[in-house]
Amino acid sequence: MLAALESVSLVVPFSEDTALEVVQEIQPGIYAKGGDYDMTAIPEGKAVLAYGGQAVAIDFEHDRSTTKLLSKVRQQ
């Protein structure tokens, strides 16, 4: 679903605890995570900032989540 968004250029699954290895290999210009992350404190956020990319935490919208959206889609 995320990959279908025009503003998203790449979606990569990973099995490690963080996306650090993927970030270091791909070096995205913008790296985004949920608003509960401090991008200067997580390894992949630090890596993105170190090479000059943007690491952004997107504020949560009340009562909206990927989990809730997928649940709604699966019910139909």
Side-chain angles (χ1 to χ4, degrees):
M1 185 173 292
L2 287 174
L5 297 173
E6 185 177 334
S7 60
V8 175
S9 57
L10 184 65
V11 175
V12 179
F14 60 94
S15 57
E16 297 79 22
D17 289 339
T18 73
L20 180 59
E21 289 181 29
V22 173
V23 166
Q24 288 174 326
E25 183 176 335
I26 296 171
Q27 293 195 353
I30 301 172
Y31 181 74
K33 288 189 71 89
D36 55 337
Y37 288 92
D38 175 355
M39 300 305 277
T40 62
I42 60 174
E44 61 269 39
K46 290 177 184 179
V48 170
L49 296 170
Y51 65 72
Q54 290 182 300
V56 297
I58 300 171
D59 290 337
F60 289 111
E61 291 291 324
H62 177 69
D63 205 29
R64 292 185 181 181
S65 70
T66 305
T67 302
K68 192 168 192 168
L69 177 61
L70 289 175
S71 178
K72 184 177 178 180
V73 169
R74 289 178 179 139
Q75 289 176 359
Q76 296 188 21

